[in-house]
Every structure is written in structure tokens, then in C-alpha cells.
Amino acid sequence: MSDRKQFITVMVVAALFVSWIGWRGFEVISLNDQLMADKTVASYPYQHRVLRVEGGTAVISSLRSHSVSTQQALSAVFPSMRHLADTHRDWQRAERELAQVQARAGDIILATSGVNRVRWELDENWYHLQSMKSRYNTAF
């Protein structure tokens, strides 16, 4: 094969790859726009967002995981609740609200064509940023 044909082949493959990456980014942006268009999801203090799409699975950020309890997550979102007893009704109300918002975010994404499954992933970056904010605010 001549140098010119090899060059054209490499450029076509590169263009297809860049297009595929661009499409995946557009898909994530579009899904996140849908989440922000919903008043319930958009008004919640923690912003659930699609991190990536893997085949038909949308990976969505979450405050909860096996290693982070709901109460730990809610303490990060609502620091004023930290002093309340574990049995206080505000905890129960906050737990219900978080569960409802997260379920609604999942339903919005599942209603999108091409997405048939949602997987939740702990938003470690959010916790890291919250920790940095806390340290910054106490330093001044």
C-alpha cells in the first residue's frame, strides 16, 4: 500500500475514533440536561449526574454506597442535621427524600432510548470537594 493510502486510512480511523468519543460526550451531556430539566432532581442540594454510558448502561453519581451509609451521605448534604438523634423524624424525612430523588433521576434516565439499565457509583469527587471546602472555611 502506498504512503498516501496508509495516511488516508489512518486519518479515517482517527476521525471515526474522535467522532465516537464526541458522540459519547454529547450523550452524557444530553442525559444530564434531562436531569436538570426536572424540577425535583434539579432542586435537590446534591446534583445527581450521569458520569458515563457503557453500552446500554448509564452510570449515575450517588452519595450512597456499601461503604457510605445514608446517614453519612445526608450529614454531608445537610450538616445542620449532624446534631440530631439518629431516631429524629428529620432523618427519616431526609432519607425518604433522597431515595425519591435518586429513584426519579434513575427513572428519567431509563426513559431515554438506548439506556436500559442504571448503575449507581459513589461520587468520591463530590466528597473530596466537600472536604476541601470544609477545610477552607475553617481556615478563615
Side-chain angles (χ1 to χ4, degrees):
M1 192 180 328
S2 71
D3 288 342
R4 184 180 175 115
K5 286 183 181 179
Q6 285 179 336
F7 177 76
I8 290 172
T9 302
V10 168
M11 293 309 291
V12 167
V13 169
L16 289 172
F17 180 71
V18 169
S19 297
W20 178 77
I21 288 176
W23 169 251
R24 298 311 270 181
F26 173 76
E27 187 176 25
V28 168
I29 290 168
S30 174
L31 292 171
N32 283 325
D33 285 348
Q34 289 179 39
L35 289 175
M36 291 300 98
D38 183 86
K39 286 182 185 180
T40 302
V41 175
S43 65
Y44 194 73
Y46 172 76
Q47 299 299 300
H48 292 88
R49 66 190 190 289
V50 176
L51 303 173
R52 63 189 171 280
V53 178
E54 299 170 345
T57 302
V59 180
I60 305 176
S61 66
S62 176
L63 291 175
R64 303 184 292 179
S65 75
H66 296 293
S67 62
V68 178
S69 71
T70 303
Q71 193 160 9
Q72 287 173 302
L74 291 171
S75 292
V77 176
F78 304 110
S80 62
M81 290 179 53
R82 290 181 184 152
H83 71 279
L84 299 177
D86 294 349
T87 56
H88 196 280
R89 67 175 174 239
D90 285 351
W91 280 114
Q92 295 167 357
R93 188 178 309 128
E95 287 174 359
R96 270 194 313 275
E97 183 182 20
L98 174 59
Q100 290 169 346
V101 170
Q102 186 164 318
R104 186 166 177 90
D107 290 344
I108 290 167
I109 299 305
L110 284 171
T112 305
S113 70
V115 176
N116 51 31
R117 188 169 169 255
V118 165
R119 184 166 49 94
W120 299 95
E121 185 174 289
L122 182 64
D123 194 346
E124 292 177 9
N125 188 47
W126 185 85
Y127 281 106
H128 178 70
L129 291 173
Q130 293 303 101
S131 173
M132 288 177 63
K133 272 189 208 175
S134 174
R135 277 187 255 151
Y136 177 78
N137 289 337
T138 57
F140 293 99

